[in-house]
Amino acid sequence: MATLLARAGVSCCELAEKDFLAVSPSDPRYRQVHYILLDPSCSGSGMLTRQLEEPWADTPSKERLHALAGFQQRALCHALSFPSLQRLVYSTCSLCQEENEDVVREVLQQNPGAFRLAPVLPTWPHRGLGTFPGAEHCLRASPETTLTGGFFIAVIERVEAPSSATQAKALTPELLPSPAPKRKRRRKAAAGASTLPRMQQASAQ
């Protein structure tokens, strides 16, 4: 990673060699993170070089896919737990549904209403597999359909919480505070009470 960054001329970064799942979202260094690019370990079934070097290993076993998908789900759920996160890119170089659409669907179901899929390059011809509503916002590529290496991309963004003004408008009349009683009526009542002894004195005379 350090070599690739240096080769690209990137200097505004800091490498941290640690387990991402062990990074605390409340850590002062990371709790203000707004954007995350999550490119977890995957089967690499879309990598052309691997297909050329290991043509017999282009289809991962079910056991390997299950283990990879489990880790990918944990990593994605952990990434979405960062409190200031606004948008996340989830990407793999895999063609397998288990590592792509299935992972995204499962994690969104675990966070109902908190996040949604954003369209990725809408004009791109190859979309996500229609395994759940919104999967068409994802992007796929493969040597057969797009003449590229195989990969998958999903953009997940946080659903904005309603503002305090919107919440106030939504309150029912029963929940709104009742108006305070008018003080003018109290003054009249007090004035009437104060004149009563004078009237009694006049009748007595």
Side-chain angles (χ1 to χ4, degrees):
M1 177 62 71
T3 301
L4 292 174
L5 291 172
R7 185 182 301 167
V10 177
S11 59
C12 57
C13 65
E14 179 182 347
L15 293 179
E17 291 186 65
K18 58 176 61 179
D19 181 1
F20 174 62
L21 296 178
V23 175
S24 173
S26 60
D27 189 312
R29 294 174 295 176
Y30 307 118
R31 63 187 178 190
Q32 296 300 324
V33 168
H34 291 173
Y35 305 97
I36 292 179
L37 168 59
L38 181 64
D39 188 65
S41 301
C42 70
S43 64
S45 58
M47 298 176 64
L48 292 174
T49 53
R50 180 170 298 182
Q51 294 177 9
L52 294 174
E53 296 172 357
E54 305 174 3
W56 63 89
D58 57 343
T59 303
S61 65
K62 292 184 178 180
E63 292 76 14
R64 176 166 168 74
L65 284 177
H66 179 75
L68 286 169
F71 167 74
Q72 291 155 357
Q73 287 181 23
R74 292 194 300 274
L76 185 52
C77 282
H78 186 63
L80 295 182
S81 68
F82 282 70
S84 298
L85 179 70
Q86 294 299 316
R87 178 170 283 203
L88 176 145
V89 175
Y90 174 79
S91 63
T92 73
C93 52
S94 170
L95 300 175
C96 301
Q97 173 185 326
E98 293 86 345
E99 300 178 88
N100 298 327
E101 289 88 357
D102 290 356
V103 169
V104 172
R105 178 190 61 194
E106 179 64 26
V107 172
L108 289 178
Q109 289 178 349
Q110 294 180 25
N111 296 271
F115 295 92
R116 64 190 173 197
L117 284 170
V120 182
L121 297 177
T123 58
W124 188 263
H126 196 185
R127 313 308 302 175
L129 302 178
T131 57
F132 65 95
E136 68 278 3
H137 294 320
C138 303
L139 179 152
R140 272 180 167 269
S142 68
E144 295 78 17
T145 59
T146 56
L147 304 179
T148 65
F151 59 90
F152 172 87
I153 296 177
V155 175
I156 301 174
E157 62 182 11
R158 185 182 297 276
V159 176
E160 295 295 336
S163 63
S164 57
T166 304
Q167 292 177 345
K169 291 181 180 179
L171 289 175
T172 60
E174 291 79 5
L175 298 178
L176 294 175
S178 57
K182 296 181 179 180
R183 299 181 61 181
K184 291 182 178 180
R185 294 181 180 179
R186 293 183 178 179
R187 292 196 190 101
K188 291 181 179 180
S194 62
T195 57
L196 182 58
R198 296 180 182 178
M199 294 175 61
Q200 291 179 347
Q201 291 177 3
S203 62
Q205 292 176 356

